[in-house]
Amino acid sequence: MKTVFITGISGLLGTNLTNELLDNGYYVKAVIRNPEKYFGKKTANLKLIQSDLSSDFSSYLFNIEIMVHIAAETATNLLDYDDYDKINYRVTAKLFEESKKQNVKQFIFISSANTIGYGNLGFLGNETLKIKSPFSDLFYVQSKIKT
């Protein structure tokens, strides 16, 4: 049985991804600040780890095949860039390094489409496009681009 470690499990994407993984026979470990905020499927193949992202997860990453990092600081009203940088960049870098040390086979980092430039149905946004104002001025977007 493949084991996946997820951050951001209580959000819309994290919950839906977890439901899909559980339906397809995966074992899921996930970090969550408040387990009561997770409204997805709860089965024997799900282990919720109550903690915040600044914790050391190296012991939980043993025998993990896939790390899916979704969690982020997404508020647009924080006034200090460091409030975004510590979660959106430094935690991401730390999780990536911990995953490498524990020989996690795949690290998937998911970020908002707003951080890769505008697109539409005829021309999808991607990482090569320049981010347009007003998004380019947001500390959130600047911290996500850094990763």
Side-chain angles (χ1 to χ4, degrees):
M1 176 180 304
K2 285 190 176 184
T3 304
V4 179
F5 189 95
I6 299 175
T7 69
I9 191 172
S10 62
L12 178 66
L13 178 60
T15 299
N16 284 303
L17 174 62
T18 300
N19 289 342
E20 190 69 25
L21 289 169
L22 293 171
D23 285 346
N24 285 286
Y26 286 80
Y27 184 80
V28 176
K29 290 182 183 180
V31 62
I32 188 167
R33 283 179 291 195
N34 182 353
E36 293 176 10
K37 292 189 176 183
Y38 173 68
F39 297 105
K41 293 181 179 182
K42 296 176 182 166
T43 73
N45 287 345
L46 174 66
K47 176 176 177 65
L48 296 177
I49 302 160
Q50 185 171 5
S51 185
D52 62 45
L53 291 172
S54 63
S55 298
D56 178 6
F57 297 109
S58 54
S59 63
Y60 292 111
L61 297 178
F62 183 72
N63 286 333
I64 296 293
E65 294 181 61
I66 303 166
M67 158 69 86
V68 182
H69 179 43
I70 303 168
E73 179 56 70
T74 60
T76 57
N77 62 340
L78 302 178
L79 301 176
D80 188 358
Y81 173 78
D82 192 61
D83 292 329
Y84 296 94
D85 189 69
K86 68 183 170 190
I87 298 297
N88 298 346
Y89 176 71
R90 294 191 305 251
V91 163
T92 301
K94 183 184 86 159
L95 287 171
F96 182 73
E97 290 303 318
E98 286 180 3
S99 294
K100 283 189 345 186
K101 286 179 187 171
Q102 293 297 327
N103 296 313
V104 173
K105 293 180 176 120
Q106 189 173 21
F107 187 94
I108 300 170
F109 173 56
I110 298 175
S111 188
S112 166
N114 282 339
T115 65
I116 61 169
Y118 288 98
N120 57 44
L121 290 176
F123 184 74
L124 300 178
N126 64 54
E127 292 87 356
T128 64
L129 298 175
K130 183 175 169 91
I131 297 169
K132 297 180 181 177
S133 184
F135 293 111
S136 58
D137 299 327
L138 296 175
F139 288 150
Y140 163 72
V141 172
Q142 293 170 20
S143 69
K144 294 297 267 188
I145 292 169
K146 187 175 176 182
T147 51

